[in-house]
Amino acid sequence: DALLARARLLEQSGDRAGAATSLEELLTLAPRHAGATQALLRVLRELEDWERLGSWLAAEAPHAPPDEAAALYAELGTLYARHLERPEAAEAALRQAVRLAPERTLVRRQLVALVAARGEAAEAAQLLDVDEGLLPADETAGLLREGVGHARAAGDMSRALELARRAHGLVPA
């Protein structure tokens, strides 16, 4: 608790780097200290220390409850893509986020963008092929319609037609 109190004082005085070091020391002694973990992640975000933040997110996500893990993986994927220029790692993290929380359409679209950027239109279409009932009908239809474009780009006209029919069945165009 002394290290946590020290970290708070350092953060309040504006020494975020010192606060991060103190929090990391505490987490070395008590690896699953929730308050310290959350404080460290916040401080690293404020410092824009993307490498350290990525390391901590990657270490924490597998141990978090599914909802929290999905959010951590989504943040990790965004961090890898935007700040660390590691598209493969971003894709892996976003896949985990989608697996844990398939209803998060923004994360799914981030993953689709990465997959499409590497030229995998068929896989992008498959990622947008969501089951009915997972999301509101209009969101499902929107994803399916996006999938149509990717299926066409992949030259899979039968899949494009199937996705278009399903989307139209949910929300007529």
Side-chain angles (χ1 to χ4, degrees):
D1 286 336
L3 287 171
L4 187 57
R6 178 175 182 253
R8 284 185 186 131
L9 289 172
L10 289 169
E11 188 178 2
Q12 288 172 356
S13 70
D15 184 2
R16 287 183 178 81
T21 300
S22 185
L23 291 164
E24 286 175 323
E25 289 172 12
L26 172 58
L27 288 166
T28 300
L29 299 172
R32 297 285 157 238
H33 190 291
T37 300
Q38 293 306 314
L40 177 60
L41 295 177
R42 183 186 68 251
V43 168
L44 292 175
R45 285 180 195 107
E46 291 169 1
L47 286 170
E48 297 183 1
D49 189 338
W50 307 128
E51 283 291 337
R52 280 168 66 193
L53 179 59
S55 294
W56 279 100
L57 288 170
E60 287 302 312
H63 303 288
D67 284 348
E68 186 180 331
L72 292 172
Y73 280 121
E75 181 178 359
L76 182 61
T78 300
L79 178 81
Y80 282 147
R82 289 187 187 160
H83 299 291
L84 299 176
E85 298 179 17
R86 295 179 52 199
E88 298 86 13
E91 187 177 322
L94 292 172
R95 282 184 190 282
Q96 280 292 84
V98 168
R99 183 183 65 76
L100 292 168
E103 73 283 357
R104 295 186 180 181
T105 57
L106 179 60
V107 175
R108 183 179 297 274
R109 283 185 169 114
Q110 287 178 292
L111 175 58
V112 167
L114 288 172
V115 169
R118 63 178 172 80
E120 295 293 334
E123 187 178 353
Q126 182 179 2
L127 288 166
L128 291 165
D129 187 354
V130 296
D131 293 331
E132 294 171 30
L134 178 67
L135 302 166
D138 60 331
E139 285 185 55
T140 300
L143 290 173
L144 292 172
R145 285 187 175 102
E146 287 178 42
V148 169
H150 290 290
R152 283 183 182 154
D156 189 348
M157 296 308 155
S158 63
R159 177 169 222 155
L161 181 59
E162 175 206 341
L163 294 174
R165 284 181 178 157
R166 286 178 45 215
H168 185 76
L170 291 168
V171 178

